[in-house]
Amino acid sequence: YIEESKKILPHATVFHQIEGGNHAGFGMYGKQKGELEANISPRDQQDEIIRTMNAWLMKIDFIIMKAVEQTQQLFLYVKIKES
């Protein structure tokens, strides 16, 4: 399913496969029809999801902070140039 999804998602989409996990462990809503058994506990799967999302959010936060910093520098430059 992941390979098929890549075609319709943005180029910058980040994929992370949880080895031994399954869909039910992602959502914590129990086994789904036709789903394979997980080789890791739902708790371990949730912990990996949290670590992965946290790392991604930290990266996004860093990019946003850099963009704000560059915008502030540009604004300061323009303000000085106008004086």
Side-chain angles (χ1 to χ4, degrees), residues 43-60:
R43 175 64 183 246
D44 287 345
Q45 186 167 334
Q46 291 291 307
D47 287 347
E48 185 169 342
I49 292 164
I50 291 166
R51 284 192 305 274
T52 302
M53 291 297 296
N54 188 49
W56 181 77
L57 290 169
M58 295 296 282
K59 185 176 181 181
I60 297 299

Side-chain angles (χ1 to χ4, degrees), residues 18-52:
I18 299 175
E19 294 295 329
N22 63 12
H23 192 79
F26 179 83
M28 300 291 282
Y29 43 66
K31 186 173 176 159
Q32 301 297 295
K33 183 179 179 181
E35 186 168 56
L36 299 175
E37 288 292 323
N39 295 327
I40 61 174
S41 71
R43 175 64 183 246
D44 287 345
Q45 186 167 334
Q46 291 291 307
D47 287 347
E48 185 169 342
I49 292 164
I50 291 166
R51 284 192 305 274
T52 302

